[in-house]
Amino acid sequence: MDAKTVSFYKKITFLCLFTLLGHVPSAVAQEWIYSVVKGDTLSEFSEKHLYKTSYWKQLQKINNIADPKRIPENTKLRIPIQWIKSQPASAEVINVEGDVIAHAKDSQSPQKVSTGQQLNLGDHLETYSQSSVLIRFADGSEILVLQNSKIDFNHMTQYGETGMVDSRIRLLSGDIESHAKTQKGNAARFEIHTPAAISAVRGTHFRTSYTAQDTQAHVEVLEGGVAVKGAKTTRLVRAGYGTQVVKNKAPLTPKKLLPAPELLAYPTPIETIGSQIRWKNTAGATSYRFMIAGSSAFSTVLWDSDSARNAISLPDLPDDTYSIQLRAVDKYGIEGLVREQTITLNAHPQPPFPVAPNNDATIRGDAPVLEWTQSNEAVSYRLQVASDTQFTNIVVDRSALSNHRYTATELTPTHTYYWRVASISNSGEQGPFGTSRNVNVKPVPATPVTSLEQNEREIKLSWAVGLPDESYQIQIASDSAFTSIITDTTATEPEITLERPEGYRYVRVRSLAEDGFAGAWGATQELTPPPNENWPYIFGTFVATILLL
């Protein structure tokens, strides 16, 4: 194949591409093809659709019509576009979220955008942080303008009743997601312009973004095909691919969109404010984009954020079920395919925090007093106490507690209990339970009642067996006030044997719990010295001494 033939085929390919997407060079005539219905006449048709009624004569000639008043039904009329009546078209605001303003062409002051508002040629629109707006054009095409975006409505024309609409929007910064209807007629077009690139379509679903700081545009195609032009070079980007365009440079060769990330399991419902959503790493991703909407239609976006990690902390939104979108971003800044799921939030009214007793505390003697913080969203509280961590064996379940403390007299000793509290709002809605704590309720060790057995050499003290794992403390002192303690020992058995002291001594015993908690001292016992076995000899010696005197 010679060079001239190759050049010819390139021109043919170029022409086919632009014909497909509505960019037909001016050398090719733009026409509207009209199918005649019964009763049509050329004069009536011209009066209704064309700038001049007199065009009917030229229509008769170029379409070889024998009788302009009796045209066969379904005859195809070719009408030059420049003859067709046209008028300015407008776009309608379908849905708004957050702060969105519009600068009308004929007004000096900005206006807050509202649902149902008409946007016209020359208007300028801006969205702020966590704001978005859905806009529908005359042909039914829609764009979702995401946060921190600025757009101009450059060209909006409607060709009478032909169904052909010419819509051209200039994206100065930010992000647009477009659902373009199939264009009717070769005069119809739908284009997104940026300072770096032009995206032209005939009917497709695609995303366009432009970063003014980097002078970069990105186009990602989800359905159909988009002709992306930059620096006099045009590339056709088909579904599943995207491209990057730097100002004054040709578009990159289309890159395959990264697959939708795989989300990891998360609770349903999510009951904690700031909970994280996690996902598996996507090969080739440098970051991720996460969005939340009120419905699967994603007609507006409630929250839009980026993450360099495989996780993101959720914002504090009202309790409801939401749709989420997650996509990976590659090194070129091209966003990948979307993972869509739903999440249910039930974090309100927010639960209080437990205050006392401390987690794993041990309470002896008195009934535990459970105390929690006061929640701003609560008018009352619900308290649950259970004997297991899953709260299947409920011991206490009290609703409508107006106070933020409760004396749990229902709890019996020798058990570990788990407790948690939920808030109840003014409307009667109960929120999620807060963090649970456990409390160990145990009895006070019994006071030993000692019995005393003694002989000439030993003394044996004994008392009733206490609770399992208890030990015993024994003190011996030289005085009953125990100011001069001679010995201080512990024993694991409920008895102790001592040598009989030479003088008077005092002894007492108390029980020690396994955690060292000491019970009350038992009654003080007096220990007496043993009787002296040499008293006859001593008495005889004393009598002999008297007699000798």
Side-chain angles (χ1 to χ4, degrees):
M1 188 179 293
D2 57 28
K4 185 177 291 185
T5 304
V6 171
S7 176
F8 171 77
Y9 276 112
K10 284 185 176 179
K11 290 179 180 178
I12 292 296
T13 302
F14 185 80
L15 178 60
C16 291
L17 170 64
F18 273 76
T19 302
L20 172 66
L21 297 167
H23 285 262
V24 183
S26 58
V28 180
Q30 291 183 299
E31 295 178 328
W32 174 35
I33 307 300
Y34 174 77
S35 183
V36 173
V37 297
K38 186 176 181 180
D40 276 342
T41 68
L42 288 184
S43 60
E44 289 175 347
F45 175 86
S46 298
E47 182 178 1
K48 182 177 181 181
H49 295 288
L50 307 184
Y51 281 115
K52 296 180 180 180
T53 306
S54 59
Y55 281 149
W56 71 266
K57 295 179 181 179
Q58 289 139 295
L59 280 181
Q60 183 181 11
K61 183 177 180 181
I62 63 177
N63 287 282
N64 298 315
I65 302 299
D67 186 346
K69 294 184 178 181
R70 292 180 177 82
I71 311 171
E73 192 173 356
N74 295 322
T75 298
K76 304 300 181 184
L77 295 181
R78 294 165 41 232
I79 305 101
I81 292 297
Q82 62 269 26
W83 293 0
I84 300 171
K85 293 177 181 178
S86 65
Q87 64 271 359
S90 62
E92 182 182 2
V93 175
I94 303 301
N95 208 346
V96 182
E97 177 63 41
D99 296 324
V100 182
I101 63 168
H103 295 261
K105 180 180 179 181
D106 54 356
S107 175
Q108 297 296 321
S109 58
Q111 178 186 6
K112 188 172 183 179
V113 170
S114 59
T115 300
Q117 181 175 337
Q118 298 297 307
L119 299 169
N120 302 303
L121 177 65
D123 287 353
H124 172 81
L125 182 139
E126 295 184 22
T127 61
Y128 293 95
S129 178
Q130 304 304 346
S131 301
S132 57
V133 58
L134 180 67
I135 299 169
R136 182 177 297 154
F137 293 87
D139 65 346
S141 296
E142 294 180 345
I143 61 171
L144 176 60
V145 186
L146 299 175
Q147 66 172 344
N148 301 319
S149 298
K150 298 179 180 180
I151 65 171
D152 289 335
F153 294 88
N154 277 4
H155 194 102
M156 293 194 293
T157 301
Q158 186 169 355
Y159 290 92
E161 298 179 8
T162 66
M164 291 185 292
V165 178
D166 186 347
S167 303
R168 283 171 263 176
I169 307 100
R170 185 168 183 81
L171 174 62
L172 303 173
S173 63
D175 302 79
I176 288 178
E177 183 163 346
S178 304
H179 288 263
K181 293 288 186 180
T182 300
Q183 302 299 291
K184 301 176 181 179
N186 53 24
R189 67 174 68 181
F190 185 89
E191 295 179 356
I192 304 292
H193 293 228
T194 73
I198 299 173
S199 301
V201 302
R202 295 292 296 174
T204 185
H205 178 195
F206 69 107
R207 303 187 298 245
T208 308
S209 64
Y210 181 72
T211 307
Q213 182 178 357
D214 301 325
T215 64
Q216 288 184 5
H218 298 91
V219 179
E220 300 111 23
V221 183
L222 304 176
E223 296 176 10
V226 177
V228 181
K229 181 180 180 181
K232 299 182 180 180
T233 300
T234 301
R235 296 191 187 278
L236 176 62
V237 183
R238 55 193 176 91
Y241 287 81
T243 186
Q244 176 201 65
V245 189
V246 178
K247 190 175 182 179
N248 299 324
K249 292 186 179 180
L252 289 181
T253 301
K255 311 295 180 184
K256 188 172 180 62
L257 300 182
L258 292 178
E262 183 178 348
L263 285 161
L264 299 178
Y266 49 83
T268 300
I270 296 171
E271 296 185 328
T272 304
I273 294 173
S275 292
Q276 286 197 333
I277 296 290
R278 301 178 182 274
W279 53 87
K280 292 183 179 180
N281 181 61
T282 301
T286 58
S287 64
Y288 300 86
R289 187 170 187 178
F290 189 94
M291 295 192 292
I292 302 177
S295 71
S296 59
F298 263 80
S299 58
T300 56
V301 175
L302 299 172
W303 193 70
D304 186 348
S305 186
D306 298 319
S307 176
R309 305 182 300 116
N310 296 8
I312 199 163
S313 296
L314 295 175
D316 183 8
L317 294 173
D319 293 346
D320 207 340
T321 296
Y322 297 92
S323 291
I324 61 174
Q325 285 190 357
L326 174 66
R327 48 202 188 222
V329 184
D330 68 13
K331 64 181 180 180
Y332 300 104
I334 299 172
E335 299 182 4
L337 299 175
V338 174
R339 174 72 62 192
E340 292 191 27
Q341 285 186 203
T342 59
I343 59 172
T344 300
L345 303 182
N346 183 30
H348 296 276
Q350 296 181 46
F353 296 106
V355 173
N358 291 332
N359 193 45
D360 205 27
T362 297
I363 305 297
R364 297 179 184 273
D366 298 328
V369 178
L370 308 178
E371 186 175 355
W372 53 91
T373 59
Q374 296 187 73
S375 172
N376 292 334
E377 298 182 354
V379 295
S380 62
Y381 304 94
R382 181 180 181 185
L383 167 70
Q384 282 190 339
V385 183
S387 59
D388 64 306
T389 55
Q390 286 74 39
F391 285 81
T392 55
N393 300 315
I394 301 294
V395 178
V396 177
D397 192 346
R398 296 293 301 272
S399 295
L401 294 173
S402 58
N403 204 346
H404 58 98
R405 63 174 58 87
Y406 180 79
T407 301
T409 56
E410 301 91 335
L411 308 188
T412 58
T414 69
H415 284 88
T416 296
Y417 296 96
Y418 303 85
W419 64 283
R420 62 186 184 181
V421 184
S423 295
I424 300 175
S425 70
N426 191 44
S427 65
E429 178 189 3
Q430 178 186 309
F433 283 101
T435 304
S436 66
R437 281 189 178 181
N438 72 293
V439 59
N440 304 298
V441 181
K442 297 184 178 181
V444 175
T447 303
V449 177
T450 57
S451 61
L452 180 64
E453 298 178 20
Q454 60 185 353
N455 55 35
E456 290 80 2
R457 296 183 180 181
E458 295 179 333
I459 295 174
K460 182 180 180 182
L461 286 174
S462 61
W463 52 90
V465 177
L467 295 173
D469 300 323
E470 278 189 357
S471 59
Y472 311 95
Q473 182 180 7
I474 304 101
Q475 287 185 343
I476 300 176
S478 59
D479 62 308
S480 61
F482 284 83
T483 57
S484 298
I485 295 175
I486 298 172
T487 61
D488 189 341
T489 60
T490 57
T492 57
E493 298 298 326
E495 62 180 24
I496 187 170
T497 302
L498 306 168
E499 289 186 7
R500 197 159 183 173
E502 296 180 358
Y504 287 93
R505 300 289 185 265
Y506 301 88
V507 63
R508 63 183 181 182
V509 181
R510 65 179 176 182
S511 300
L512 302 176
E514 77 282 357
D515 59 359
F517 182 88
W521 290 107
T524 299
Q525 300 284 349
E526 183 182 48
L527 306 180
T528 59
N532 196 329
E533 295 179 353
N534 296 322
W535 69 270
Y537 173 78
I538 295 173
F539 180 75
T541 302
F542 174 74
V543 171
T545 300
I546 294 296
L547 292 174
L548 288 174
L549 293 175

